[in-house]
Amino acid sequence: MAFLNLEAAYKHGIIHNVEEQTIVSLEKRLDQEYSSLDFLNLNYMSELEKKIETASQIQERYKNMLVLGIGGSALGAKALQKAFFPFQDLPNYKGKSLYILDNINPKLMQAYLEKLNPQDTVVVVISKSGSTIETISQYFLAKKWLKDNLPAEYKEHMWIITDPVKGFLRNEVEKYGFFSFDVPPNLGGRFSVLSAVGLVPLNFLGLNWKELVKGAKSVANFGSLASHPAFLLAKWAFNLMQVKTELIFFNYLVGWDFLGDWFAQLWAESLGKDNKGSMPIPAVGVRDQHSLLQMFMQGQNNKGCLFLKFRKISSNIVLDFDLPKQWDFLQGKGLAEIFQAECLGTLMALSSRMPLVEIELEGPTELEAGKIIMLLEFATLLTGWLLQINPLNQPGVEKSKRLAKAKLGAKGFENENKELESFLSKKRSAKIYEF
């Protein structure tokens, strides 16, 4: 079982306050909007399960999967890949390999296209809108690579995950007959890890994704909202934001190091609106005890902490041999025990300094992963509603996209072209120094 511990949550000036009428209003809104909250209702899952069964048969011919996606199209899959398949990065690994190209990196893209065997590779292109410029540019390169090397069968090596009816990639599916999966219309990218976006790559590696979904559904099934862990977490985060501006996501889920990157997008893109929200700061235990903890403990007192840990660690390696006298207290102890001691020490130190919510998972299983994903997604939605903002859009990222397209010569961006001309024509300031 998983636990949410609020013992240290309402300390250090945090007020425990959300009016009963607000809870009633949230319950009513949740009931009204539930059918359109695809990440929560998972109504698409039965159809997706059939499609993944088909994919499971097709993918047997491939050794490698190259995923082209960015942001919500990559972060969830990458977090779970690193959590459940760390051996892919170990020496002499010979199993199926998943490569996620989640940024514009010319050197890395070239290396993949030079070193991967196209005959053994399926390329999966992920963009809900079908207009993500970074992903589309890589798609063109990958399609040419496949077509040049496999002219008669390249279409079989390209899968598309995108909107079911519209967008450039959906048009490409209809034009070329690529195998494709739908991203439900009401499912935003940062909430999409439990859709084809995350499950297709993870199924390729052999993840028990049905357990992942089972865990998520166990959290999504709620009775009284007032006592649901997602609401309790949202209420705390809302109250925290009244006096604190940063939220540390300190992750002691050993091996699940990339979960914080996924959470950072979920939280920042959902809640950073109307001068509201809190800045997520991902930290990984024990590594960041030796890099960030000093700032957390004695820097600005503007932080709260979400602290995640396992009740038990499934693997261990023991120091069962003689040690130097000064280190003899470690003899007979394992790395798991040392890790847990460091975890406890950091938990106690941080809770003495700042308001802290502790989340404890039973262990590193797909079931528990599904629970934490759904808990954090649901809590993010409710926090946005408490802040009286829309947590499902992201208007703040659109301007940079439009300016980039204008710079590259896309049509229909007259205002952005004027902004670019003004910005680029400014003379260098005397305050700019060469180094």
Side-chain angles (χ1 to χ4, degrees):
M1 295 185 67
F3 294 93
L4 183 74
N5 185 348
L6 298 174
E7 184 178 352
Y10 290 95
K11 293 183 177 180
H12 310 284
I14 304 303
I15 299 172
H16 193 295
N17 181 38
V18 167
E19 294 181 0
E20 181 65 30
Q21 190 168 346
T22 301
I23 300 174
V24 173
S25 176
L26 287 181
E27 288 180 326
K28 183 178 180 181
R29 183 175 181 179
L30 191 59
D31 184 60
Q32 291 173 339
E33 298 188 23
Y34 183 76
S35 62
S36 65
L37 297 171
D38 286 342
F39 83 89
L40 191 61
N41 62 48
L42 299 174
N43 286 339
Y44 58 84
M45 195 57 68
S46 59
E47 192 64 34
L48 176 58
E49 182 173 353
K50 297 175 185 176
K51 203 67 180 283
I52 290 180
E53 288 177 0
T54 302
S56 296
Q57 298 171 12
I58 299 172
Q59 70 191 25
E60 287 304 312
R61 71 187 76 165
Y62 305 119
K63 182 181 183 297
N64 309 303
M65 176 178 283
L66 176 61
V67 169
L68 307 178
I70 196 167
S73 296
L75 288 170
K78 188 172 184 178
L80 293 172
Q81 174 198 19
K82 298 298 184 181
F84 289 98
F85 300 93
F87 38 81
Q88 186 182 328
D89 298 327
L90 297 180
N92 303 318
Y93 173 71
K94 296 180 180 179
K96 285 184 178 290
S97 294
L98 172 64
Y99 303 99
I100 301 176
L101 193 55
D102 61 347
N103 203 346
I104 290 288
N105 186 328
K107 191 172 184 178
L108 193 57
M109 183 73 182
Q110 185 175 10
Y112 282 136
L113 299 186
E114 287 179 355
K115 296 185 181 299
L116 287 176
N117 181 350
Q119 189 68 53
D120 296 336
T121 302
V122 59
V123 177
V124 180
V125 186
I126 307 177
S127 170
K128 180 187 175 182
S129 67
S131 61
T132 308
I133 190 170
E134 302 90 342
T135 303
I136 296 302
S137 61
Q138 293 170 328
Y139 159 71
F140 289 136
L141 289 167
K143 185 171 75 170
K144 183 179 186 302
W145 172 68
L146 289 173
K147 194 172 183 179
D148 288 347
N149 286 279
L150 305 169
E153 54 180 301
Y154 77 95
K155 296 176 184 178
E156 300 173 14
H157 292 254
M158 180 75 75
W159 296 358
I160 306 292
I161 302 177
T162 192
D163 187 274
V165 296
K166 63 184 179 180
F168 174 76
L169 286 179
R170 180 52 58 187
N171 292 337
E172 291 289 278
V173 170
E174 294 174 358
K175 182 177 180 179
Y176 294 102
F178 296 137
F179 187 53
S180 70
F181 299 82
D182 297 343
V183 180
N186 294 319
L187 191 66
R190 59 189 178 275
F191 292 90
S192 66
V193 61
L194 297 177
S195 73
V197 171
L199 299 187
V200 168
L202 294 167
N203 178 65
F204 179 79
L205 288 176
L207 183 83
N208 188 347
W209 61 268
K210 291 184 179 181
E211 279 292 290
L212 194 72
V213 173
K214 180 180 177 181
K217 286 182 175 180
S218 72
V219 175
N221 291 331
F222 53 89
S224 169
L225 185 64
S227 60
H228 193 284
F231 174 73
L232 297 175
L233 179 56
K235 180 171 69 170
W236 171 75
F238 170 73
N239 288 322
L240 181 74
M241 289 175 197
Q242 311 312 307
V243 291
K244 306 287 184 180
T245 59
E246 297 179 352
L247 178 63
I248 302 166
F249 186 87
F250 220 135
N251 176 13
Y252 275 81
L253 301 173
V254 61
W256 293 18
D257 295 5
F258 286 84
L259 187 66
D261 293 345
W262 168 80
F263 174 78
Q265 186 207 9
L266 174 70
W267 195 256
E269 204 166 81
S270 298
L271 305 180
K273 294 155 193 170
D274 298 342
N275 293 312
K276 298 178 181 178
S278 56
M279 174 60 72
I281 306 175
V284 174
V286 297
R287 183 187 69 206
D288 288 326
Q289 285 177 225
H290 299 271
S291 62
L292 300 178
L293 187 57
Q294 174 63 36
M295 177 62 76
F296 297 161
M297 291 300 299
Q298 294 185 332
Q300 287 191 29
N301 191 11
N302 62 343
K303 301 170 182 65
C305 182
L306 193 57
F307 193 97
L308 297 88
K309 65 187 184 72
F310 287 130
R311 182 173 309 125
K312 55 188 177 182
I313 299 175
S314 56
S315 60
N316 199 10
I317 179 170
V318 178
L319 284 73
D320 56 355
F321 43 86
D322 291 338
L323 298 174
K325 186 174 182 180
Q326 70 185 99
W327 298 103
D328 61 5
F329 67 93
L330 293 177
Q331 191 165 336
K333 296 183 174 68
L335 295 185
E337 190 174 353
I338 295 170
F339 184 95
Q340 294 291 52
E342 297 286 351
C343 174
L344 177 61
T346 306
L347 172 64
M348 292 174 64
L350 286 172
S351 63
S352 70
R353 162 73 165 167
M354 65 186 65
L356 179 147
V357 167
E358 178 185 347
I359 296 178
E360 184 177 72
L361 303 183
E362 180 71 26
T365 67
E366 291 94 334
L367 185 75
E368 297 293 279
K371 289 181 182 180
I372 191 62
I373 287 169
M374 182 57 74
L375 175 70
L376 295 173
E377 289 183 347
F378 195 5
T380 299
L381 174 83
L382 296 173
T383 304
W385 286 357
L386 286 170
L387 290 169
Q388 298 183 2
I389 60 174
N390 180 1
L392 302 178
N393 67 0
Q394 54 279 340
V397 303
E398 296 305 318
K399 183 168 185 174
S400 66
K401 293 179 180 180
R402 294 178 64 84
L403 287 167
K405 287 183 177 180
K407 180 65 175 70
L408 292 167
K411 296 179 180 179
F413 296 94
E414 288 76 13
N415 291 335
E416 287 76 12
N417 280 321
K418 291 177 182 177
E419 287 187 61
L420 282 168
E421 184 179 356
S422 174
F423 183 84
L424 295 173
S425 65
K426 289 179 181 178
K427 293 183 179 180
R428 284 184 175 271
S429 167
K431 294 183 180 179
I432 295 179
Y433 300 93
E434 192 174 301
F435 64 95

